Amino acid sequence: MLRFVLRRLALMVPVLIGLSILLFAWVRALPGDPSRALLGERATPEGIERVNAAYGFDKPLIEQYLTYVGALLRGDFGESIQTGRPVLESFTERFPATLELGATALLFAVVLGVPLGYVAARSQGRLLDTSVVSGSLLGVVTPVFFLAILLKLVFADKLHWLPTALRQDPRMDATHITNFYVLDGILTREWDASWDALTHLVLPALALGTIPLAIIVRITRASVSEVLHEDYVRTAEAKGLARGTVSRRHVLRNALLPVVTTIGLQAGLLFSGAVLTETVFAFNGIGQYLFEAIGSRDYPVLQGFIIFIAIVYSLINLLVDVSYGLIDPRVRAA
Amino acid sequence: MFAGSAEPVTLDPFFASDGESFRVARQIFEGLVGTMPGTADPAPLLAKEWEVGEDGLTYTFSLEEGVKFHDGTDFNAEAVCFNFDRWYNMPESAQTDDLTYYYAALFRGFATGDRAEEAIYESCSADDELTATITLQSPFAGFISSMSLPALSMQSPTALEEYQDDAATNPRNTEYSTERPVGTGPFTLESWERGEQVTLTANDDYWGEPASIDEAVVVAIAEPKARADALRNGEIDGYDLVGPADIGPLEGDGFQIVNREAFNVLYLGMNQKQAPLDDPKVRQAIAHAINRDEVVSASLPEGTQTATQFIPEVVNGFADDVPTYDYDPEAAEQLLEEAGATGATIEFNYPTDVSRPYMPAPEDTFNVIRTQLEAVGLKIKPTADKWDPDYLEKIQGTPGHGIHLLGWTGDYNDTDNFLGVFFGAKSNEWGFDNQEIFDGLKEARGIPTPEEQETLYQELNRQIMDYLPGVPLAHPVPSLAFSPDVEGYQQSPVQDEVWNVITLN
Amino acid sequence: MTIPLPPSQVVPDGVIGLDADPGVGLWRGAFRRLRRNPSAIIGAVMVAIFVLVAITAPLLTSYAPGSAEWSGQVTPSSVPGPSPEHFLGLDRFGSDMWTQMVYGAQQSLVYGVVSTAIGLTVGASLGALAGGFGSVGGRIGDWVDTAVMRLVDIMLSIPSLLLAVSIAALLGQNSYAVMIAIGAAQVPIFARLLRGSMLSQGKADYVLAADALGIRKTRIVMGHVLPNSIGPTIVQATLNLATAIIEVAALSYLGLGESDPAVAEWGRMLVAAQDRFDAAPRLALLPGAAIAFAALGFTLFGEALREALDPKSRR
């Protein structure tokens, strides 16, 4: 197992290097000028020239790339052109938001989805099964942002049950340590801050989690149902083992494998959905920020953020594969 | 609890050029000159009164007594000169447009750098404790008015020396600029949580009318509709830049809408490098084809006035008798025929994904105008680009565009801030070379006082409207929305809105 | 952003026999099962409706898309609703809503089909290349396999929407950019699918037997392995079509993609409808529901197809 992990980590390095070169080229191939985006309507040709000179954009590409790599090796990911803030700082500030959102959404999807899928598989063909299947199908095909808009409209705008935007009520004056607001509230014992952050998470997490929920329900159902029809299960039932025992010990453990894989695969989906959901709810995560950076051609932010995202994403995939290996010994041998 | 549309960039206003940074800066800092409430006219602030020398080159300011910066430093003539000298002596690294746009645009240069020759600042002397004299190298009629800009507010010399580093790679991001800005205003900075909120506390030692609210928090919500939703839901007490579609419903639900007096202009620019726009008859035809009232009612906020020239009424040099081009589709068709341009194809550029105070819903405005132009037989080729970065690049950076929508919000009361920006020199945006207008504007800029400038600017306005490089459309009314509990909000056309006058029930 | 499958369900096994024509028996059986499956029928009907509307759009309406002819009737706070001349009312720019919807269907179909086709051809080729060489074995074979899969890995190292957004940003604000971007995001999926299918079949008994019999390797691949992979590929393509339709809308939501107002697109309509939601919710509900409808049709059909091709899984 350890060798497996090490090998994968080692493989990540060339991939990331390749990615960084690609990113550098891509970012500069983008049509448009960060200096113009920076100056906006107040841009004049001389002004743009001055800014370009200050940032070194007028130097040859190779030189720019070397400067960039040199800085990277020192751990300096540069500063945003738009705000002047260090990219690493912005990332560590905003990433917990997206992570918190994604984790909550995933939790929601798993906690609700697995039991639902299991129950549906058990009651095959009956009303419960059909309604679960139809519901999950709808969940899969509804665009995330559409759902987000609908949820916001109903629960926040019309019913006023939940807040419409942001991560926390600004009047709350909460202390932030990890930037995971719910956690922070717990750590500092500011329970109301924690609760407030939670209420702000509900709608976005619901919107974001619906598609993973639907998928998990379906995979669980399919997987459980497949296992239920396996010979050894039927044998166990024929032998007279109580249904409960059969289900818990045999069915679940074997059915869990595809479910776990799926959960891991959701990471990419969650990120995409997060970008869209964050926009609707003014939730300060990396999704919206990254997207704005693309528009303003903020090179350092783009390069930095995408590399960070790639690292996180690869680590998550690694985690999934590892857990896969832990659960199914057959895979480990491969 | 106020919502702006974006996060401030920095809290040292000298290095800022965005409205949100200025919004916060206005609460913390003050300049020598302020504005008369609700107008763009200069009024005394940190300077009780001022005198302009005969030659228009010396300005003597008598300062307000007993004013202290938040950190206890006295505000006096020495502090004034410290600020002026600091600006003039900015290191070359700070002389780029993204950092020091306002100072450079107004004072034209610094002590060092490639524009040192043109710099108009000469020196500042502290004649006594409360009198400071600024000497300029060449006349600058807008000087007094420009002193009301937040970028040129007075900052505490002690704090600057201790915490600010003008030569830093990123002066917008230093300790001073993000945590310890020190001014003389009615609020002090409590904290700035990047990405979340700015918290301001009332300054109990404020020399003027102290604030009735203890605390003000500014958050950023990007979408206008989301801001409206947050207001409805009680999450915020007020916000800026109300979308035109939200005004009616909000008012209907009992919220207050405060309209800022328009200090901007929305225009349809025409690029004379693209035929047949170089033919004055075609330009006039387009002007006649547009029904400005319909443009306003279909896409701009209520209360918006249609425009007759490129400056709003309150700006110096507004002429009542400029040539106007009333809505007259028949005249338009006739002119097109005369020019041999009936049925001509014209490229119409407009931006997507943006909402500016002078152009809240560009796609709607575009559609109305397009229909009007097509009604007189022109063929329109629509070209949409994202505001950031393509649209501006295309419109201002290249000659490859046709007619386009753009506008401008004035920063301070100086005609040059409008006309000079648009037509001061040859540009890719307008594509024309009219030396008469260029020279006229240059001359006007050099006249020492606004009163003396008036006649020349009026003449220039008439000239410009005759030449018709573009069609001024309207002066859209930007609005703010507040919950019924907020009272006393004083709007200002140049956004000189300080919150010490607000009361919250 | 496609509905992920656990690896075990990707490749149908147990159905492969030493038929002279290995495809037919599989397909006939599949078709029979499809006919009996209610969700397959529903899905097929939905797809048919969608495709029909998309193809006959110009016949269904006499107006041109994005004409904004009636913009005079629209004000910032009201958008005219259904009326005799405008069956679904106007949209906020003053175009006829029904026209926008049917031309939007056309656009979605085109986007969906083209981007999936791009993803399929490029991805399947890459995957077949890797899988074919990989199953054949030998040093060159393994090298090709690894090289191709490293490329796929880089593409997979960032979430698919980000990949699509990056490519779209690079190529500009037009339809081609969108189709290429979404197609590119689908390439890794098809590549992995084909490769996996070919590799696992490479170990199947019949292949080893054929090899032992002396049949040339290429013939085995072309004649037997490939056709057996077609089934799951078609299933994946159908499912990906559904996702493509949604992803196009997502890209429009983010402001990328075609900006020409004469091109109606459901995603863009959704974006534009947002701040008029209070005044006219139908402006958002209609395109949103349409996107879900089309995606649902393809998903139902695709899932049913997968079931039909894989008799081992009984639902």
Side-chain angles (χ1 to χ4, degrees), chain A residues 1-16 264-265 310-325 331 334, chain C residues 149-150 153 156-157 192:
Chain A
M1 182 51 45
L2 192 62
R3 274 182 58 191
F4 174 69
V5 173
L6 285 177
R7 196 153 55 92
R8 280 288 293 271
L9 282 174
L11 274 176
M12 257 172 68
V13 176
V15 169
L16 284 177
L265 291 171
I311 293 177
V312 171
Y313 197 58
S314 307
L315 285 176
I316 293 182
N317 281 335
L318 179 59
L319 225 84
V320 170
D321 286 344
V322 165
S323 57
Y324 198 71
V331 173
Chain C
M149 288 331 279
R150 282 301 137 256
D153 274 344
L156 283 173
S157 69
R192 281 234 169 136

Side-chain angles (χ1 to χ4, degrees), chain C residues 153-213:
Chain C
D153 274 344
I154 292 191
M155 288 178 86
L156 283 173
S157 69
I158 52 177
S160 70
L161 184 66
L162 198 54
L163 185 63
V165 166
S166 314
I167 298 179
L170 190 61
L171 297 173
Q173 195 84 350
N174 54 63
S175 304
Y176 302 112
V178 173
M179 293 191 276
I180 294 178
I182 297 182
Q186 294 185 3
V187 163
I189 300 170
F190 283 111
R192 281 234 169 136
L193 182 66
L194 247 317
R195 173 182 179 270
S197 162
M198 295 185 71
L199 276 184
S200 71
Q201 285 188 60
K203 301 191 174 66
D205 291 336
Y206 85 96
V207 170
L208 297 172
D211 192 28
L213 280 175

Side-chain angles (χ1 to χ4, degrees), chain B residues 70-85:
Chain B
H70 301 154
D71 60 358
T73 322
D74 289 317
F75 170 70
N76 50 28
E78 236 183 88
V80 172
C81 287
F82 183 90
N83 273 281
F84 271 90
D85 288 331

Side-chain angles (χ1 to χ4, degrees), chain B residues 1-8 20 23 217-224 227 236 238-241 499:
Chain B
M1 179 78 52
F2 194 86
S5 62
E7 261 238 301
E20 294 299 334
R23 189 194 309 281
V217 178
V218 185
V219 293
I221 301 181
E223 295 285 320
R227 293 198 285 278
I236 54 177
Y239 73 93
D240 198 358
L241 298 173
W499 296 342

Side-chain angles (χ1 to χ4, degrees), chain A residues 46-85:
Chain A
E46 301 83 30
I48 293 183
E49 253 178 62
R50 272 190 285 268
V51 175
N52 277 337
Y55 280 102
F57 293 145
D58 48 353
K59 300 217 183 64
L61 279 181
I62 299 285
E63 200 180 317
Q64 287 187 50
Y65 182 66
L66 289 173
T67 326
Y68 175 63
V69 170
L72 268 188
L73 292 174
R74 270 178 279 137
D76 176 9
F77 286 90
E79 284 112 16
S80 159
I81 296 178
Q82 288 279 324
T83 66
R85 295 195 67 205

Side-chain angles (χ1 to χ4, degrees), chain B residues 402-458:
Chain B
I403 56 178
H404 63 272
L405 286 174
L406 198 55
W408 178 262
T409 306
D411 300 307
Y412 64 104
N413 198 342
D414 181 5
T415 325
D416 195 48
N417 190 229
F418 284 85
L419 298 179
V421 170
F422 305 149
F423 309 119
K426 229 168 105 157
S427 72
N428 275 315
E429 187 183 347
W430 304 94
F432 71 81
D433 200 347
N434 185 327
Q435 206 53 42
E436 215 185 313
I437 293 184
F438 298 157
D439 289 337
L441 285 169
K442 192 153 171 214
E443 196 192 321
R445 196 181 301 142
I447 297 178
T449 67
E451 295 78 28
E452 293 167 51
Q453 285 177 326
E454 197 175 344
T455 350
L456 185 49
Y457 273 127
Q458 282 176 336

Side-chain angles (χ1 to χ4, degrees), chain B residues 302-437:
Chain B
E302 250 178 77
T304 299
Q305 284 175 313
T306 54
T308 55
Q309 51 203 277
F310 283 92
I311 55 175
E313 218 178 307
V314 292
V315 175
N316 196 19
F318 185 83
D320 292 313
D321 55 351
V322 288
T324 56
Y325 300 83
D326 296 322
Y327 176 54
D328 190 345
E330 279 154 16
E333 280 170 10
Q334 171 119 23
L335 282 162
L336 284 176
E337 234 184 274
E338 283 171 36
T342 321
T345 311
I346 301 198
E347 189 179 4
F348 193 162
N349 300 74
Y350 68 99
T352 56
D353 221 22
V354 72
S355 177
R356 309 295 294 152
Y358 53 79
M359 188 171 58
E363 289 183 71
D364 294 335
T365 312
F366 159 76
N367 268 306
V368 178
I369 298 182
R370 169 167 65 136
T371 324
Q372 292 171 348
L373 291 178
E374 283 176 341
V376 296
L378 288 167
K379 289 206 214 337
I380 297 295
K381 174 174 162 239
T383 308
D385 282 296
K386 275 186 63 140
W387 176 262
D388 229 358
D390 305 308
Y391 186 70
L392 287 175
E393 171 89 37
K394 198 178 267 190
I395 302 300
Q396 296 183 321
T398 70
H401 55 278
I403 56 178
H404 63 272
L405 286 174
L406 198 55
W408 178 262
T409 306
D411 300 307
Y412 64 104
N413 198 342
D414 181 5
T415 325
D416 195 48
N417 190 229
F418 284 85
L419 298 179
V421 170
F422 305 149
F423 309 119
K426 229 168 105 157
S427 72
N428 275 315
E429 187 183 347
W430 304 94
F432 71 81
D433 200 347
N434 185 327
Q435 206 53 42
E436 215 185 313
I437 293 184

